[in-house]
Amino acid sequence: MSFASNHPTRRDQAKVMSRAELTRRLVARLDHEEAVIGGIGFANFELWGAGQRPQNFYMLGSMGLAVPIALGVALAQPSRRVVALEGDGSMLMQLGALATVAGLAPKNLIVVIQDNGAYQITGGQPTAASVADLVAVARASGLAQSAWAADEGDFEEMVVRALREDGPWVIGTRIDSAKPEATTERDPARIRDQFMRGLGVKR
Ligand SMILES: Cc1ncc(C[n+]2csc(CCOP(=O)(O)OP(=O)(O)O)c2C)c(N)n1
């Protein structure tokens, strides 16, 4: 069965879930020093809260860079699985990244879109994610293995498969706008250095 036909293909078929819980479930499934890039917004706050790992990178300043950074890591280290966690606002700002991923087709890349329909960290202004279904955009960009997670169990099933089988994968999640449980420590130089050590490219 294909990914798309096994899981919801429309945003309105997906349950609205807790970002903190989904992030915890994802991190709990990591067991091969996978790299995880948390996008600006609350994606990286919850990644921080789910337990700090040297293979985590927390983007603090720029929207839309979780996927491009993850793509670079995936191409540089093809034997490592790489996960990008990106909010809908940031994804909308960098839609071309999806087509670039489709063109380069790294088998080890997993994009998780965290769609709360809002620019939450700057006050909850609405995004266009309810108009432009981001999973449909990903599929139309050439990423056939793109689907929405129906619920928490479905999300975990998708993650397990994506960590094992060839990608690239796009997993859409609808999330609520709960206040994040943690706050990333704002120390970009330290974040960069730890990540480089975590990837084995710096001593
Ligand atoms: C180019 C640019 N424009 C605006 C901002 C300010 N800004 C930082 S995060 C953010 C919202 C991010 O929204 P989303 O990616 O959906 O994540 P969420 O806050 O919902 O977790 C905005 C508008 C920025 N950092 N860069």
Side-chain angles (χ1 to χ4, degrees):
M1 282 287 263
S2 79
F3 197 55
S5 60
N6 247 345
H7 304 280
T9 53
R10 288 203 337 255
R11 184 177 187 267
D12 62 7
Q13 297 166 321
K15 180 183 170 189
V16 176
M17 299 176 275
S18 151
R19 168 155 41 194
E21 184 184 346
L22 293 185
T23 308
R24 275 195 297 271
R25 285 183 183 234
L26 169 87
V27 171
R29 290 287 180 178
L30 305 177
D31 55 3
H32 286 87
E33 299 192 351
E34 296 87 346
V36 186
I37 321 300
I40 194 178
F42 290 141
N44 77 76
F45 283 43
E46 300 294 20
L47 178 62
W48 180 276
Q52 290 139 59
R53 309 164 57 248
Q55 295 82 24
N56 286 355
F57 184 78
Y58 310 90
M59 170 43 73
L60 296 179
S62 302
M63 292 175 72
L65 286 191
V67 175
I69 292 169
L71 173 61
V73 175
L75 294 174
Q77 300 196 341
S79 57
R80 187 190 301 274
R81 293 274 148 167
V82 185
V83 184
L85 308 176
E86 190 71 292
D88 54 302
S90 298
M91 202 65 251
L92 284 162
M93 188 170 277
Q94 191 71 282
L95 279 183
L98 293 170
T100 305
V101 168
L104 294 166
K107 293 176 178 166
N108 54 332
L109 181 61
I110 304 161
V111 176
V112 177
I113 298 171
Q114 301 181 334
D115 180 353
N116 54 8
Y119 302 99
Q120 190 186 348
I121 199 171
T122 51
Q125 303 85 352
T127 71
S130 57
V131 182
D133 182 314
L134 283 167
V135 166
V137 172
R139 273 204 309 280
S141 301
L143 293 162
Q145 297 184 123
S146 303
W148 288 98
D151 55 26
E152 291 84 354
D154 195 41
F155 173 70
E156 232 174 294
E157 202 178 291
M158 294 161 102
V159 165
V160 167
R161 181 167 174 199
L163 287 171
R164 202 176 52 220
E165 297 177 28
D166 287 350
W169 304 92
V170 176
I171 303 174
T173 59
R174 288 196 69 186
I175 53 159
D176 60 28
S177 286
K179 197 171 169 283
E181 294 178 4
T183 306
T184 307
E185 222 172 274
R186 276 196 97 79
D187 190 345
R190 187 154 160 258
I191 289 170
R192 179 204 56 206
D193 284 354
Q194 282 191 346
F195 186 58
M196 289 177 78
R197 287 196 189 92
L199 296 191
V201 296
K202 184 174 180 171
R203 281 188 217 199

